[in-house]
Amino acid sequence: MSLSPLAGTPAPPEILVDLARLERAYYERRPAMDDPTQRVSFGTSGHRGSSLRGSFNEAHILAVTQAICDYRRRQRTDGPLYLGKDTHALSGPAQRSALEVLAANGIETIIQRADGVTPTPVISHAILVFNRGRTAGLADGIVVTPSHNPPEDGGIKYNPPHGGPADIDATGWIERRANELLEGGNTGIRRIPFERAIRVTSTHAQDFVLPYVRDLRNVVDMDAIRDARLTLAVDPLGGAAQPYWEPINHVYGLEIAVVNPRLDPRFAFMTVDHDGAIRMDCSSPYAMAGLVALRDRYRVAFGNDPDADRHGIVTPSAGLLNPNHYLAVAIHYLLTHRPRWPARAAVGKTLVSSSMIDRVVQRLGRGLYESPVGFKWFVPGLFAGALCFGGEESAGASFLRHDGTVWTTDKDGPIMALLAAEITARTGRDPGEHYRTLTAEFGAPYSTRVDAPATPEQKARLQQLSPETLTAATLAGEPILATLTRAPANDAPLGGLKVVTASGWFAARPSGTENVYKIYAESFKDEGHLRAILTEAQAIVDGAS
């Protein structure tokens, strides 16, 4: 992965997005349906694109929202729909377009009052709280967000009544229906003007902030954080969590310093990511350079991406923690500090997350639920309490309430941030110090991810691999113990390959948007062993695909 000379430096004016041009393209540009990149495509978390590329325009949002309305009718979901948006420039126009369709379809829709923004986990939380104890009239939700993507991007995703990301059956149906509508010129869409949509009796503006904030005490030990009087800081990275931190301070008597309170849809305050793009990735040391520079001023500091479904943790001992490192620490702490959690509840992780998690979970006598990439795989388990924790290597996770019941079924960046403060408050050691303790017991893993070129044909073959197609018996000098193309947890296809030895592994997955495949690799030996795994991994994948 090449490093831009701009990485970690303030964004120069010449790379800032032209907001007027972006919004004009949203309303004026029509997708070319013979171009696959301009069709509706639900990835691991909704449809994403940019109006400038013809992949996220008003036509897309109208079609997706009508498809969701049609899907709700098929599923007989007839409760309220919670509609949230983040701070990306296209999120406001897209929310307005969506509301025009929802109102015309007579769907009771609840939005944040005063045209406010709403984090993804808050929508999940609101759905679950409303649906608790109900068997009919269930709520669901839509979140308008491209997560941590660059400022010119937009996104939209659907959360059914279970509160989490829709599964592949739901997204597949919505995607097909939306493209049918687009191919028909969107003539099958019901829509009324926004001025009417915002005033119809089915549209309601409520406050999402305080209900979520006041409930935090039931998932994080807020009293311990207050009593420890830690110096804490947060950088919301100009995202939807920004309006939540002062209410958190007020309700719980905390003094979390909001070191960057700015809201700017250009995200001009950001430092540039590894590739020279503005990207609000709170797991990137380049995007988080501003907060990392303050590491010695605060006992713990943290950040969230624009829809607050991801977390980044900064400590004096470690700087910005690798997401895998913090997941391992969080899991170890929670499994030893949540006595009311169900004893049989397992820990969910993706197959490309660190094996440090496997070792921690095994040491504590818990089950491991190893899934394909995508938080949607954890939703049923979190909802039912069969999983006490679900986490992804990309810095997204959620966990149960103190009493062992569901909190959110989507990734929740604020609770993972506050958990870092709880860990420090209750143990006297920050998460970076805890990770060093784990490596002393289990060994220190060396890990990386690289992108390798691949033709569309190679990517397609990689997705269809079976263990029988691989002939290699060893990897980096060790016998291969497992060759996986389906997840151990649920037998779902990985869309790629994972190869495991006693002290290392690699996983390869084709990119959904670029002609590359991604190789994740980890070694519990040293950097040389990691390099050997990477070299042989590419040879194995190239030979098989």
Side-chain angles (χ1 to χ4, degrees), residues 120-136:
T120 286
V122 174
I123 293 295
S124 179
H125 176 268
I127 293 168
L128 292 169
V129 169
F130 181 89
N131 289 342
R132 189 182 299 146
R134 296 175 186 265
T135 57

Side-chain angles (χ1 to χ4, degrees), residues 37-270:
T37 67
Q38 296 187 37
R39 296 173 68 87
V40 171
S41 177
F42 274 73
T44 55
S45 190
H47 171 76
R48 295 181 187 176
S50 174
S51 64
L52 302 177
R53 299 190 297 270
S55 50
F56 190 88
N57 304 87
E58 185 177 50
H60 294 101
I61 303 309
L62 298 174
V64 168
T65 309
Q66 183 64 56
I68 290 171
C69 294
D70 296 345
Y71 181 78
R72 291 179 102 243
R73 278 189 284 272
R74 284 173 58 91
Q75 298 298 311
R76 295 180 179 158
T77 303
D78 55 2
L81 183 143
Y82 291 89
L83 176 60
K85 65 175 179 181
D86 76 356
T87 54
H88 276 78
L90 291 175
S91 294
Q95 187 191 53
R96 291 192 290 273
S97 300
L99 187 60
E100 292 176 356
V101 176
L102 294 168
N105 280 267
I107 292 176
E108 184 182 359
T109 305
I110 304 174
I111 59 175
Q112 171 62 34
R113 69 187 183 194
D115 196 29
V117 293
T118 306
T120 286
V122 174
I123 293 295
S124 179
H125 176 268
I127 293 168
L128 292 169
V129 169
F130 181 89
N131 289 342
R132 189 182 299 146
R134 296 175 186 265
T135 57
L138 299 179
D140 56 358
I142 294 174
V143 190
V144 183
T145 174
S147 190
H148 62 292
N149 279 26
E152 64 269 22
D153 283 10
I156 183 169
K157 62 180 181 176
Y158 174 61
N159 287 32
H162 58 49
D167 63 25
I168 54 177
D169 291 335
T171 57
W173 194 96
I174 293 167
E175 177 184 307
R176 288 190 297 274
R177 176 60 177 148
N179 284 319
E180 288 174 4
L181 290 164
L182 284 169
E183 287 164 354
N186 277 355
T187 57
I189 290 173
R190 299 177 187 174
R191 180 187 187 189
I192 62 175
F194 178 75
E195 292 73 19
R196 284 180 55 201
I198 197 68
R199 291 182 172 86
V200 296
T201 57
S202 60
T203 298
H204 310 279
Q206 296 181 4
D207 176 43
F208 293 153
V209 179
L210 282 179
Y212 174 86
V213 168
R214 288 172 176 153
D215 207 10
L216 283 170
R217 67 176 78 249
N218 293 309
V219 69
V220 177
D221 191 343
M222 303 299 289
D223 291 341
I225 298 172
R226 180 197 62 228
D227 294 345
R229 294 297 172 193
L230 303 172
T231 54
L232 303 172
V234 62
D235 184 348
L237 298 183
Q242 193 269 351
Y244 283 69
W245 290 106
E246 285 306 330
I248 288 172
N249 280 338
H250 176 74
V251 170
Y252 295 106
L254 305 180
E255 296 180 2
I256 302 172
V258 182
V259 298
N260 170 27
R262 289 168 288 182
L263 294 176
D264 173 7
R266 300 174 306 159
F267 295 91
F269 51 79
M270 287 295 299

